[in-house]
Amino acid sequence: MSTEESEEHIMKIVILEADSLGQDMVFTPFEALGEVVIYRSTTADEMEEKTKDADVIVANKVPICESTIGKAQNLKLVCLTATGFNNLDGDYLKKRGIAAYNVAGYSTNGVAQHTFALLFYILEKLNYYDNYVKSGEYARGTCFSHFGQNFFELDGKTWGIIGLGAIGNRVAQIAKAFGCHIICYSASGKKYNTEYEQVSLDELLSRSDILSVHAPLNGYTENLMTLGKFRKMKKTAIFLNVARGAIVNEPDLYTALTEGSIAGAGLDVLCKEPMNPENPLLKIQDSNKLIITPHIAWAAKETRFRVVDEVVKNIQRFQRDDRTNRVY
């Protein structure tokens, strides 16, 4: 046997969507594990060429299936820089014996924080009051205060939650600290082991002053929030979605907002990302009624760097056959 043949195989790690973690991300922790190849972004059509020699691929949104990794004969492990794994063809991975790991729980605090950022922007009419001051109107006024737009306290209000997982629970804890009464709904019918009141969807809709979504996208939740559902809500209610875009029917939300079925909405996720230029929600330019952020609830610096640390740990877990975080 030649010296070259006897050398231990060096694992090749291919990072396919580096830009999805931010331009400031540092990937040096991977270098202790093997050869690292970094691509800023990757399309499905580019997958075959970029993964052909990979032992490990690190991905986020690109589809992982036979048409994209079918020729990656060395591939042993797929690591996602995300919690959701809808982009994985689990049957194909299991057929090939390729393991897959996700990262769970890394963004709980960040997403909960962003939920309240969206809420307060709408609730306290911050766009209106910011513009009032910056326009010079406040400087020309005669009263120390200004009451152009009404808003209400959270104390004593009912906060409804769809999806009481780690993020939903964290939001509930914070909302309770503000004095809210928490009610929750499970789209799958699962019985939560919780102190909070679990109700039907109709009751959740009719009682909630604030309704936030923290559920996964699946057969139970896809297109869950339609016009009929919004019309069952209070006209003073605020709707928040920081989960998955396709849980909400966006044309129906547009109608609900423009006809006044609900008072306002804050979204961090959309059915198509980046946003479809034809999305009717773009027509709503009133920031007192609607705020949309570009899927950044998870993107606090600490959160993003935590993802990379966890992916490195997932590779190490795979090497020692630890199935923590393994989805296939």
Side-chain angles (χ1 to χ4, degrees):
M1 181 181 292
S2 69
T3 303
E4 183 175 321
E5 290 173 331
S6 65
E7 288 180 356
E8 184 179 351
H9 175 70
I10 298 175
M11 181 166 59
K12 184 173 183 178
I13 303 167
V14 178
I15 298 169
L16 293 169
E17 300 169 273
D19 282 349
S20 71
L21 292 164
Q23 297 289 333
D24 58 344
M25 184 50 61
V26 176
F27 295 98
T28 49
F30 289 97
E31 294 174 1
L33 303 175
E35 176 190 357
V36 182
V37 177
I38 299 173
Y39 296 104
R40 303 312 308 180
S41 63
T42 299
T43 65
D45 291 340
E46 296 169 335
M47 289 276 289
E48 183 179 304
E49 177 62 26
K50 291 182 178 180
T51 64
K52 63 183 181 182
D53 298 323
D55 296 290
V56 179
I57 60 174
V58 178
N60 187 298
K61 299 291 186 189
V62 288
I64 309 296
C65 55
E66 185 171 7
S67 65
T68 57
I69 62 168
K71 295 188 177 179
Q73 295 304 309
N74 296 335
L75 189 61
K76 305 173 188 66
L77 173 64
V78 176
C79 282
L80 295 178
T81 58
T83 301
F85 47 92
N86 304 65
N87 59 323
L88 301 183
D89 183 339
D91 291 338
Y92 178 69
L93 292 176
K94 286 185 279 189
K95 178 183 173 183
R96 289 260 322 258
I98 298 170
Y101 285 70
N102 70 346
V103 181
Y106 70 94
S107 64
T108 299
N109 289 330
V111 176
Q113 174 179 304
H114 196 73
T115 301
F116 284 86
L118 294 173
L119 170 68
F120 288 128
Y121 187 83
I122 295 289
L123 173 66
E124 299 213 348
K125 316 295 184 186
L126 295 183
N127 177 263
Y128 170 82
Y129 285 109
D130 185 45
N131 288 336
Y132 175 77
V133 172
K134 289 178 178 174
S135 70
E137 283 298 310
Y138 185 45
R140 291 187 289 270
T142 58
C143 181
F144 75 94
S145 194
H146 174 70
F147 313 101
Q149 298 257 340
N150 288 329
F151 54 95
F152 56 80
E153 295 179 349
L154 283 182
D155 185 56
K157 299 302 186 291
T158 297
W159 189 306
I161 294 177
I162 298 176
L164 200 68
I167 295 172
N169 261 298
R170 188 72 180 114
V171 168
Q173 291 168 2
I174 299 168
K176 185 178 178 181
F178 275 106
C180 291
H181 175 70
I182 311 300
I183 58 177
C184 59
Y185 167 73
S186 168
S188 68
K190 173 184 177 182
K191 184 68 177 175
Y192 294 126
N193 180 18
T194 179
E195 65 180 283
Y196 306 119
E197 184 183 359
Q198 187 164 347
V199 299
S200 68
L201 180 56
D202 280 352
E203 189 172 350
L204 186 92
L205 296 169
S206 65
R207 289 176 57 188
S208 296
D209 296 296
I210 300 100
L211 175 57
S212 60
V213 183
H214 309 284
L217 177 63
N218 53 38
Y220 299 109
T221 59
E222 186 170 8
N223 203 43
L224 177 66
M225 293 302 298
T226 57
L227 183 58
K229 307 288 178 44
F230 289 118
R231 284 176 173 168
K232 291 180 178 180
M233 294 176 66
K234 298 178 181 180
K235 292 186 181 298
T236 54
I238 296 173
F239 174 76
L240 307 168
N241 185 16
V242 292
R244 288 292 182 266
I247 294 174
V248 177
N249 184 301
E250 291 168 350
D252 284 5
L253 176 58
Y254 168 80
T255 300
L257 287 167
T258 53
E259 72 180 14
S261 292
I262 59 174
L267 309 176
D268 184 57
V269 288
L270 296 166
C271 292
K272 184 179 184 301
E273 298 171 349
M275 190 176 193
N276 187 332
E278 303 303 314
N279 191 319
L281 293 173
L282 269 177
K283 298 176 186 177
I284 300 177
Q285 295 295 302
D286 181 0
S287 295
N288 298 304
K289 186 180 290 288
L290 174 67
I291 178 174
I292 301 174
T293 51
H295 205 143
I296 58 167
W298 70 282
K301 185 167 184 175
E302 297 93 336
T303 307
R304 291 183 290 109
F305 276 71
R306 190 177 301 125
V307 169
V308 168
D309 288 342
E310 284 300 314
V311 171
V312 170
K313 290 176 183 176
N314 279 342
I315 296 174
Q316 294 169 333
R317 289 182 180 112
F318 171 74
Q319 290 175 323
R320 62 178 184 266
D321 199 29
D322 178 346
R323 293 182 172 249
T324 306
N325 294 343
R326 183 165 173 169
V327 293
Y328 295 115

